[in-house]
Amino acid sequence: MSSTPRTPAASPVTPRRASKMASNQSLNHLLNFTLPPRQTQPPPSLPRRSRKTGTHQGVWNKERFVNAQYRFVMNPNGDYTVHFADPDIFFQWQDILQVIIPRSSALASAVASGDHEGHTACPICLAPPTAPRMTKCGHVYCFPCILHYLNTSENKWARCPICFDSVNEKQLKSVKWCDGPVHIEEDADGPLAGSSSSSSVIFDTTPRAGTTMRMRLMQRPQITTLALPRSETWPSDLLPPHQAPFHFLPDVFDYAKFMLATPSYLVTDLTRDLDELASERRMLAGMTDDLGILFVDAADAKVRRQIEKASALDTPFLKERIDKAMRDQHEIEARAAFIRNRRKQESATPTSEAPQELLALNAPPDATAGRRQRRNVNPPPPSTSTYYYYQAASGLPIFLHPLDIKILLSHFGGYAAFPDSISVRIEAVGEGTVNDDLRKRCKYLAHMPDSADVVFVEADVGDVVGGAEGGLRNFEGALKMRAARRKEKGRKDERARVRAEERDREQRANEFAVTNPSATWVFTADSPALDEVILPAQPAPEVPATGAWGARSFAAALHSAPTTSDVRGGQQATRREEREEDEWDMDAAWHELEARNSGGGGGGGKRRNKLVVLGSGGGGRRRR
């Protein structure tokens, strides 16, 4: 007896199992469609030099902005040797004791025609900051305002009201506004190069065309990022190129990227914060603002604790370093004053006809040795190369144009022969940003941090080199080419400005026409802002239906509201009156034509002249 094979019974499929199978199985084969295989494109083969010398910048962050735009007063007990080798290395935030912010940045003053920015307003109270404090993200607040804001958070940190970055109370840094040098000392050798007298020249600290600016010769050894104006104290043993200088040394506070603080300096600035908080407390008391007074008192207590920490820095070791720096400074200044007085005496006394070699032989050996020692009192440190360039005397990153430096080099024969300070008349201003390309073209700016804003001034150095008869003769072609490029750039900027204003007017006109379809907007083309005259739309007059144009004649249609194209055109009032007169003539012509067609139905009369109406969009003319 044969038995037929039995098919095993299918196991029941539960809903949970079905959903699991559906999630694990792909049903794309049922669609009878498959995607082509993904092709990976290899990266384009770039030349080796392009990859090496590319100007691609890293990801922009707030630390880079703070490092590029501001200067810092550092803890005197820290080691900052690495920052003399690479300006792009960020400072440790805990080592920063104070942030120096210029009251007017060079780029903003160049764009805003010399208008000072003044104090930055607090984003919370919109007033000049009281005892200002900067967050790690680079925003400045009043000390009481930021404490009040942090108190509203349940955590120890909060989001910055501007950039929503984390803000912590321990990360707040003191801020000092920098106005540049309070006074400019006259050169010891006499009036400035390029000026008739030091009292007749009015110097301007902002780069504007037509003004006179004083610039100082900066000297930077290649082995360091410390660049200071060449003077009796730089370069010298007083300021080693790889050692952070104290803030009180000559030209350090105005030009150095970072400097060491002293306890007395910190206590003085923090005491000024206490005075500002006291004034704020009196003002709030007059307004009976008890909550505001509460946070002013909290800020006052924290400032007093900071004063105690600053006083604790006054250790015997730090005091010895400060005293040594002050003694060296006084000694060098005394030697320099002695040399200046000796030169003045030599220039005042008549010179002898005896040769200088004979006078040197007859002089006592001690006097000769002393004179040689005084002549080389401040030998520069040994270095492979030194860069020279001119920077604004205000300390802002405003530099002389490379072409002007080339003219000075051709006239003086060497960078070391440049005068220590010059006064030049500015012809044009150009802004830029420090990147790899700029560092390669202007190697003397390699000490500037990445993404720092710089300004180059095109100046008239004719007074320095002797005018067209002197060093400018060989550079006439280059100067004319630079002036032509400057004029062409000005024309392009003007055309771009006009196009932008036209686009803005058209956009506003279109928006108004869409939102107010029942009104007429007459816009004057010569007005840069919204100078509009809104007139109510005139209703179309009732015209009897005559002719073959239905219930409304063509003449009546001319009295309707103007179209969108008329609104865009921005017609003047006089042109609108002329258009109304043309429309009236057009209406009379059409009525005359209709009257002739309706009254001339006879047979063999004299043939009349045809009336042809020529339409040109703006109005009609009659021709017989």
Side-chain angles (χ1 to χ4, degrees):
M1 182 174 181
S2 62
S3 61
T4 58
R6 300 178 59 185
T7 304
S11 60
V13 180
T14 61
R16 179 179 300 178
R17 184 178 180 184
S19 61
K20 184 177 181 180
M21 292 174 59
S23 61
N24 294 335
Q25 292 182 359
S26 176
L27 302 179
N28 292 339
H29 63 282
L30 301 178
L31 301 176
N32 196 17
F33 172 77
T34 57
L35 292 172
R38 180 177 298 177
Q39 299 179 358
T40 59
Q41 297 181 356
S45 59
L46 299 176
R48 183 176 181 181
R49 182 178 180 183
S50 300
R51 291 198 301 266
K52 183 178 179 180
T53 62
T55 58
H56 176 71
Q57 303 293 336
V59 178
W60 175 261
N61 52 33
K62 303 175 181 64
E63 291 183 353
R64 176 177 297 177
F65 171 79
V66 174
N67 182 69
Q69 303 299 333
Y70 304 135
R71 298 185 296 122
F72 309 99
V73 179
M74 309 299 296
N75 190 330
N77 298 323
D79 184 12
Y80 311 104
T81 307
V82 65
H83 298 283
F84 290 102
D86 189 357
D88 296 333
I89 297 178
F90 301 151
F91 292 93
Q92 296 295 327
W93 193 253
Q94 62 271 13
D95 292 336
I96 300 175
L97 299 182
Q98 189 181 68
V99 182
I100 301 176
I101 301 179
R103 194 177 300 275
S104 177
S105 63
L107 186 60
S109 60
V111 175
S113 301
D115 295 337
H116 289 274
E117 294 176 355
H119 288 283
T120 302
C122 173
I124 297 178
C125 66
L126 304 180
T130 302
R133 292 296 184 269
M134 174 182 284
T135 61
K136 196 173 182 179
C137 55
H139 297 105
V140 181
Y141 300 90
C142 297
F143 204 0
C145 290
I146 192 64
L147 290 179
H148 191 177
Y149 178 74
L150 291 173
N151 189 62
T152 59
S153 176
E154 297 179 356
N155 303 320
K156 294 182 179 181
W157 60 275
R159 296 291 183 183
C160 176
I162 303 300
C163 64
F164 303 104
D165 199 1
S166 61
V167 176
N168 193 349
E169 180 186 337
K170 296 181 179 180
Q171 297 178 349
L172 299 177
K173 298 299 178 182
S174 175
V175 171
K176 184 170 186 178
W177 308 106
C178 178
D179 299 318
V182 179
H183 63 278
I184 299 176
E185 296 135 353
E186 296 182 0
D187 288 353
D189 298 336
L192 299 178
S195 62
S196 58
S197 63
S198 59
S199 60
S200 62
V201 179
I202 300 176
F203 300 106
D204 200 342
T205 58
T206 56
R208 292 180 296 175
T211 60
T212 301
M213 175 173 288
R214 183 175 185 264
M215 311 194 79
R216 299 186 65 181
L217 180 65
M218 306 294 294
Q219 184 172 352
R220 180 180 69 85
Q222 189 181 16
I223 58 177
T224 181
T225 58
L226 180 60
L228 296 175
R230 187 179 66 181
S231 62
E232 300 162 348
T233 57
W234 172 260
S236 67
D237 297 335
L238 179 63
L239 294 169
H242 288 134
Q243 183 177 341
F246 285 99
H247 68 89
F248 58 83
L249 294 178
D251 298 323
V252 169
F253 187 81
D254 297 327
Y255 293 92
K257 177 66 178 178
F258 63 98
M259 62 209 75
L260 299 181
T262 57
S264 60
Y265 170 83
L266 296 176
V267 171
T268 301
D269 284 357
L270 292 175
T271 304
R272 189 180 300 110
D273 291 343
L274 291 179
D275 296 339
E276 294 182 2
L277 292 174
S279 301
E280 185 75 11
R281 186 186 296 106
R282 289 192 296 268
M283 184 186 67
L284 294 178
M287 301 169 58
T288 63
D289 188 357
D290 297 336
L291 183 61
I293 295 176
L294 179 65
F295 289 101
V296 169
D297 294 339
D300 185 278
K302 294 182 182 298
V303 171
R304 295 184 184 276
R305 284 197 293 269
Q306 292 176 0
I307 292 177
E308 295 177 358
K309 293 181 180 179
S311 301
L313 294 175
D314 195 6
T315 59
F317 176 73
L318 179 60
K319 187 175 181 180
E320 182 181 356
R321 291 172 55 193
I322 295 173
D323 294 341
K324 182 181 181 302
M326 289 184 175
R327 287 195 306 268
D328 294 343
Q329 179 183 358
H330 293 330
E331 183 180 357
I332 290 178
E333 291 177 352
R335 292 179 181 179
F338 177 78
I339 294 176
R340 287 197 300 268
N341 295 333
R342 189 177 183 86
R343 288 177 180 176
K344 291 180 179 179
Q345 294 176 2
E346 292 177 355
S347 61
T349 57
T351 57
S352 176
E353 297 180 357
Q356 297 295 333
E357 291 80 1
L358 181 60
L359 294 177
L361 292 175
N362 296 333
D366 295 340
T368 306
R371 184 162 55 250
R372 289 177 181 174
Q373 183 180 1
R374 285 193 299 271
R375 189 175 301 169
N376 300 324
V377 65
N378 296 323
S383 61
T384 56
S385 178
T386 302
Y387 296 105
Y388 296 88
Y389 58 93
Y390 280 101
Q391 186 176 350
S394 61
L396 294 176
I398 304 172
F399 306 100
L400 192 62
H401 195 271
L403 178 59
D404 298 325
I405 295 180
K406 188 180 297 184
I407 295 174
L408 296 177
L409 178 62
S410 175
H411 176 72
F412 291 102
Y415 293 105
F418 283 6
D420 291 342
S421 59
I422 59 174
S423 62
V424 293
R425 186 177 61 85
I426 298 177
E427 295 181 346
V429 177
E431 61 273 7
T433 305
V434 176
N435 51 22
D436 293 339
D437 185 34
L438 183 62
R439 287 173 175 173
K440 289 180 176 64
R441 290 187 289 108
C442 304
K443 295 183 179 180
Y444 54 87
L445 294 181
H447 68 287
M448 298 288 294
D450 185 22
S451 303
D453 295 331
V454 294
V455 173
F456 291 96
V457 292
E458 301 176 6
D460 182 10
V461 295
D463 295 337
V464 182
V465 299
E469 300 296 333
L472 296 181
R473 181 180 303 174
N474 299 329
F475 295 91
E476 293 180 356
L479 292 174
K480 291 180 180 179
M481 187 178 300
R482 186 176 71 176
R485 287 198 302 265
R486 183 169 62 246
K487 292 180 180 179
E488 180 63 24
K489 182 178 181 300
R491 287 193 291 266
K492 289 183 180 179
D493 295 343
E494 182 64 20
R495 289 195 296 266
R497 184 188 64 82
V498 172
R499 286 195 297 267
E501 291 179 355
E502 290 179 354
R503 287 194 299 267
D504 183 68
R505 284 196 295 265
E506 291 179 0
Q507 181 180 2
R508 292 171 184 266
N510 294 335
E511 292 176 357
F512 182 83
V514 171
T515 56
N516 301 275
S518 61
T520 302
W521 189 12
V522 181
F523 190 83
T524 57
D526 57 346
S527 58
L530 283 178
D531 296 338
E532 66 270 7
V533 180
I534 303 177
L535 302 176
Q538 299 293 337
E542 295 294 335
V543 179
T546 56
W549 290 278
R552 191 179 186 188
S553 65
F554 181 74
L558 293 176
H559 293 278
S560 61
T563 59
T564 307
S565 60
D566 297 330
V567 175
R568 293 178 181 177
Q571 300 293 334
Q572 301 289 342
T574 56
R575 296 180 59 184
R576 187 168 63 252
E577 294 176 358
E578 295 177 359
R579 186 180 60 186
E580 292 176 357
E581 293 179 359
D582 294 340
E583 291 173 357
W584 185 85
D585 294 340
M586 190 72 175
D587 195 4
W590 278 109
H591 283 293
E592 183 181 355
L593 178 61
E594 292 173 357
R596 290 184 179 182
N597 292 336
S598 59
K606 184 179 180 180
R607 186 178 181 180
R608 298 182 180 181
N609 297 330
K610 292 184 177 181
L611 179 64
V612 181
V613 180
L614 301 179
S616 59
R621 292 182 176 87
R622 290 177 295 176
R623 187 179 68 181
R624 295 182 182 275

